[in-house]
Amino acid sequence: MTISKIGEGIANGKIILLGEHSVVYHQPSIAIPFPAVQIKTTVASQTGKTKIDCDFYHGLIEEMPELLESLKETIRVCLERLEQTKTPLHLTIESSIPAERGMGSSAAVAVATTRALFDYFDTPLSQKELLEIVDISEKIAHGNPSGLDALMTSSSIPYYYIKGEPFQPINLHLNAWLIVADTGITGQTKEAVTSVAKKLNGPDQDQYKIKIDELGVLALQGKIALEKNQPLLLGKQMTMVHQLLQQLDVSNQTLDLLVQIALQNEALGAKLTGGGRGGCMIALAKDEKTAQKISHALKEAGAKKTWLYEMRDPDEE
Ligand code: PMV
């Protein structure tokens, strides 16, 4: 086996465009890769014991804290599959994906690290094997992963997804800009998912079930808007989704404020993204100038960070 001197792996962030929470109840969802934030893992040779350098830890792999167990498992599984369990390595992980903001940072670390280790040992890695390895890591990080984060952080195209069914690639034909804003507050996905489940089993369950169905219809219609370059329609759908998520009590004051600010600044639509009660919100703009204006207004209103992303029709290159 030829060993390259440095192995490199990259993964991007992910954004749920439509369908968060309702996807848990087998309604459709749409997620997109978000390359404005990335994780890069570099693997180099090392004498002595395997060592890690990342934002949360600098030291030997064997002394890594419990918090990084999923990363440790990713490395262990990769080295086992590569039959290199005894080779000491130096792994460096650089990330611009904020943790616990619904951008898939844990899956992205696993994707980038797996890609880097296979690259270092010059071994081909199929998408199937990559997703298998990341799934093992995500089970430790999240318990019951849908596989959505693993797919989106390793993909370059959006997907339509219904739990239990195969992921369907979306043929994106949209010319618009996406603005993502971080509230600076850790997302509360688990609590929000539990609270929705309680509502769906509570006295007003019929009323909440209708909202889940409506979220599903909006995701289905959103797919068409993405494929047929209908940014105005997609914007409207996004705002309607935010209102439904508010009614399900998974938003919070900061997310609501940022959504309102985006809409007051010519956003075509805006909503929270991911689990909610913190994390990030997204807004859609017709062009770059408007996206810049919205981004500026969101920062003025307290957003910790914003990112702009051009959603471009590939046929218009
Ligand atoms: O916060 P995130 O990006 O992990 O997204 C959670 C999405 C939910 O639909 C709320 C939960 C899930 O498991 O799909």
Side-chain angles (χ1 to χ4, degrees), residues 14 16 19-21 23-24 102-103 146 149 189 193 274-276:
K14 77 105 213 296
I16 299 183
E20 49 276 271
H21 286 288
V23 68
V24 174
M103 289 204 200
S146 62
D149 280 11
T189 300
V193 168

Side-chain angles (χ1 to χ4, degrees), residues 248-300:
L248 288 169
D249 193 27
V250 296
S251 188
N252 71 1
Q253 269 186 1
T254 312
L255 286 163
D256 290 347
L257 172 73
L258 296 181
V259 165
Q260 194 194 337
I261 295 287
L263 294 174
Q264 284 166 357
N265 283 275
E266 287 183 70
L268 303 175
K271 63 182 275 289
L272 68 85
T273 177
R277 296 190 177 173
C280 291
M281 58 77 68
I282 56 176
L284 196 71
K286 65 177 190 302
D287 54 29
E288 185 176 8
K289 196 164 159 240
T290 318
Q292 296 280 12
K293 178 180 155 182
I294 295 167
S295 160
H296 182 73
L298 291 171
K299 279 199 198 135
E300 291 265 288

Side-chain angles (χ1 to χ4, degrees), residues 34-35 172 174-178 288 308-313:
F34 188 56
L172 180 82
L174 187 81
N175 290 324
W177 283 71
L178 194 72
E288 185 176 8
L308 302 190
Y309 175 52
E310 185 178 14
M311 298 176 75
R312 197 155 206 275
D313 187 335

Side-chain angles (χ1 to χ4, degrees), residues 117-130:
L117 285 166
F118 276 70
D119 182 42
Y120 180 80
F121 290 108
D122 225 354
T123 305
L125 173 69
S126 68
Q127 178 75 354
K128 182 172 172 285
E129 185 165 22
L130 172 67

Side-chain angles (χ1 to χ4, degrees), residues 230-242:
Q230 295 174 323
L232 284 178
L233 188 63
L234 181 63
K236 282 203 183 108
Q237 290 158 344
M238 286 167 62
T239 307
M240 283 165 77
V241 166
H242 186 72

Side-chain angles (χ1 to χ4, degrees), residues 18 213-223 237 240-241 244:
L18 298 166
D213 290 348
E214 284 173 2
L215 285 167
V217 172
L218 286 164
L220 178 67
Q221 292 172 345
K223 178 172 184 282
Q237 290 158 344
M240 283 165 77
V241 166
L244 287 163

